[in-house]
Amino acid sequence: MRAEELKGHLDAVLLAALEGGPRHGYAVIEALRQSTGGRLDLPTGTIYPALRRLEQAGLIAGTWSVVGGRRRREYRLTPAGVQALSGRRAAWRDFSAVVTAALQDKVCPSPSPA
Amino acid sequence: MPESEPGLIRGYLEVLAGQLPGPIVEELSDGLTETHRSYLARGLSPDAAAEAAVAEFGSAEEILAGFARVNPARRAARRLLGLGPVVGGCWVAALATSRAWPGPTPARVVLGLLLVSCIGLLAVAALRRRYRVAFYSGIAGCVGFAALDASLIVGVLVVAGVASWVTAVAVAVSSARIAFCARVAVVSQQNT
């Protein structure tokens, strides 16, 4: 799945990737790859602006640490982020159920002979 | 990124460092290093791993455009420009009804010039895609608007001693704008 197909759902996906605990940007990408069996194909660099946006919205909080001599920024969900993720999940289930029902294969009755 | 890392990665980070604040570049550098290492672990040569890491990261233009969109100063500038006519309208109504234009003519000219400068700075912040230019213009515009609002409040309430409900509304919206500008400065500081 390409990034453009994920448009509108990236925030929820990122929040879900942080649900298991604090992660830095690359670890978020790895978590998404693992959880989707490698089917999510996002340019890694585009994750970082999205993480900043979520941080500005108060849904995640970032802290700096030093790992192997490099500064690393890790993000964790805030209480508002946990709540937002719960809301997004519920909305997605509703949306998914509606679209699945609409796209379901239907057996069309063959026209009866005149 | 250590000195021993391939030039391709160094060059890529230099392009980003030319436009983005240091802490953001440090974060990207950490992510790129991890990406590079993951390809090295899969058996690629350092140069091939660097090419794969940069390709996976996306183009520098794509990343710069992404950060330009989430620049807190840029977003604040757009909001302030959008709400400016509302605040301005409140003050015009307050000053016209009370007939208490604050201060002597030179002070009014200074306030007018400050207003025009702030609008110009915020327009630059709202329209320019270069992160640093938009960031510093936006912060300067916010500080300018906060100073303008504080001057108007002090001028009308303390110097002219005007108290009416129209003035109270103007003071309230200006106070809200000062609080918004202060919050933008704090958030911007945290995000750089």
Side-chain angles (χ1 to χ4, degrees):
Chain A
M1 184 185 285
R2 305 287 307 171
E4 52 269 24
E5 293 174 73
L6 198 62
K7 208 172 179 180
H9 304 292
L10 180 61
D11 289 2
V13 165
L14 292 178
L15 292 175
L18 291 170
E19 197 176 22
R23 286 195 164 99
H24 57 91
Y26 185 73
V28 168
I29 289 283
E30 283 294 292
L32 289 177
R33 282 198 187 114
Q34 281 185 3
S35 64
T36 63
R39 284 176 294 173
L40 200 56
D41 182 22
L42 295 174
T44 307
T46 60
I47 290 299
Y48 293 89
L51 288 170
R52 291 280 170 156
R53 190 183 64 244
L54 290 173
E55 188 178 15
Q56 287 165 22
L59 302 180
I60 63 175
T63 50
W64 288 102
S65 59
V66 177
V67 178
R70 294 195 311 272
R71 290 225 306 154
R72 170 168 289 173
R73 192 162 177 83
E74 279 196 333
Y75 297 93
R76 61 175 171 76
L77 283 181
T78 63
V82 172
Q83 203 175 353
L85 176 59
S86 171
R88 296 282 180 98
R89 272 208 178 106
W92 172 256
R93 284 188 188 120
D94 287 347
F95 173 78
S96 171
V98 169
V99 175
T100 302
L103 295 181
Q104 211 162 27
D105 285 336
K106 295 177 182 72
V107 180
C108 296
S110 52
S112 54
Chain B
M1 183 71 56
E3 287 291 318
S4 59
E5 295 297 345
L8 178 68
I9 288 184
R10 273 206 302 279
Y12 182 84
L13 289 172
E14 277 169 15
V15 171
L16 297 175
Q19 295 199 33
L20 296 173
I24 290 179
V25 178
E26 278 185 286
E27 187 181 3
L28 293 169
S29 172
D30 177 52
L32 194 52
T33 301
E34 289 298 316
T35 311
H36 184 229
R37 283 185 178 173
S38 78
Y39 281 108
L40 287 175
R42 288 178 223 176
L44 268 66
S45 70
D47 286 343
E51 275 185 39
V54 167
E56 181 183 316
F57 231 66
S59 72
E61 290 74 22
E62 209 173 357
I63 293 171
L64 291 171
F67 276 107
R69 281 194 292 274
V70 301
N71 187 339
R74 188 182 190 210
R75 297 166 74 191
R78 291 185 171 188
R79 282 188 189 174
L80 284 174
L81 287 173
L83 291 172
V86 176
V87 183
C90 289
W91 276 109
V92 167
L95 296 174
T97 54
S98 63
R99 294 181 183 174
W101 295 90
T105 305
R108 285 183 234 162
V109 170
V110 169
L111 286 180
L113 288 175
L114 181 58
L115 174 65
V116 172
S117 305
C118 289
I119 292 171
L121 286 166
L122 292 179
V124 169
L127 299 173
R128 288 296 298 266
R129 295 186 70 83
R130 291 180 73 91
Y131 193 96
R132 279 190 182 147
V133 174
F135 182 82
Y136 290 116
S137 304
I139 295 298
C142 284
V143 171
F145 259 127
L148 183 68
D149 284 323
S151 304
L152 281 168
I153 292 171
V154 170
V156 167
L157 290 185
V158 179
V159 179
V162 176
S164 69
W165 71 267
V166 187
T167 310
V169 170
V171 168
V173 292
S174 265
S175 301
R177 187 159 68 178
I178 291 173
F180 176 77
C181 290
R183 187 174 171 275
V184 169
V186 172
V187 169
S188 299
Q189 184 65 29
Q190 288 170 346
N191 280 274
T192 53

